[in-house]
Amino acid sequence: MTEHETILVERPADRVALIRLNRPKALNALNLRVMAELTEAATALDRDPSVGAIVITGSDRTFAAGADIKEMKDQSFDEVLAADWFAGWDALARVRTPLVAAVAGYALGGGCELAMMCDILVAADTASFGQPEITLGVLPGMGGSQRLTRAIGKAKAMDLCLTGRRIDAHEAERCGLVSRVVPADTLLDEALEIARTVAGMATPAAILAKEAVNRAFETTLSEGILFERRVFHATFATREQKEGMAAFVEKRPARFHD
Ligand code: HXC
């Protein structure tokens, strides 16, 4: 595996990969190097057929405290436009392997936006989320105004984006930003267990289910339902559909990854 400066990549379990953000002195602030390394690592893992799910996490204290303010502060409009700052994160949204975000501590600004690029968001009870960009004279720039609004609705998204206030893990769960809240000392184990479960499923079904859920954000209900029905039909061309349904009838566990 490639050596990285700002992330650690591990394979903690069969079919599961773990990417840890690793800039502790800067509270895992997301500079351009992190963007390059994380998207490159996730893309490489996405191409690896032995990986069925990827967990992205930070430290106990911080998931990520946002884009790197020190790196950004003296940039001009011409520079950020020419370099299309943050467009590189789109590569993470193109990863087809299910992504599990395991969030403890701060997930602010770009940190919250990174968590929202993942498919299943698990929060420690120490987690806090927010889009404080407004306090810096800017606004979310990695998809926050769009993904947050779709995730939690206009009322809460406006509240967070216009006041910059933080919400704790329980409020985040209540408003649908995170799927589970767990005790901080079990966060990584819980996230890895979720990843193991997902990675054990039929790979084509997992890829297509992720695409179908994401399609709900991109299209009309009737188009989305047609897309879902057609990809459901397509699963009948897979070995995994035959195995999964035969296993049910034969009252045995399905063998998707022998
Ligand atoms: C660069 C950061 C940073 C950041 C923290 N640090 N957040 N460096 N970019 N986003 C650095 C601090 O400068 C400090 O470095 C060290 O990490 C520890 O931070 P402290 O502030 O001393 O820690 P603490 O008092 O515990 O406060 C934690 C915190 C606070 C509440 C998370 O750091 C904070 O408010 N950070 C900024 C959060 C934020 O505004 N994020 C949005 C960024 S903009 P030194 O060298 O002093 O020890 C963004 C935009 C996306 O994400 C798209 C925009 C276009």
Side-chain angles (χ1 to χ4, degrees), residues 37-163:
E37 292 190 346
L38 198 154
T39 54
E40 181 275 322
T43 303
L45 292 166
D46 193 33
R47 281 195 297 263
D48 181 341
S50 73
V51 175
I54 303 168
V55 176
I56 299 179
T57 197
S59 67
D60 293 348
R61 183 179 174 206
T62 313
F63 180 70
D68 192 316
I69 299 166
K70 293 168 188 165
E71 185 182 59
M72 283 186 292
K73 73 185 215 334
D74 295 323
Q75 295 288 311
S76 68
F77 169 73
D78 289 351
E79 286 167 330
V80 296
L81 179 66
D84 206 4
W85 267 51
F86 301 133
W89 287 107
D90 292 349
L92 195 63
R94 285 195 296 273
V95 165
R96 300 190 309 162
T97 307
L99 301 174
V100 179
V103 177
Y106 301 112
L108 302 179
C112 185
E113 293 167 298
L114 170 58
M116 289 191 292
M117 283 180 221
C118 297
D119 304 305
I120 299 180
L121 213 167
V122 192
D125 49 15
T126 57
S128 69
F129 299 85
Q131 298 290 164
E133 290 90 343
I134 190 120
T135 67
L136 301 166
V138 292
L139 70 155
M142 287 165 49
S145 64
Q146 306 303 300
R147 290 198 178 92
L148 189 66
T149 308
R150 282 165 165 79
I152 68 176
K154 177 179 168 181
K156 283 271 185 194
M158 281 289 189
D159 180 355
L160 299 196
C161 291
L162 291 178
T163 69

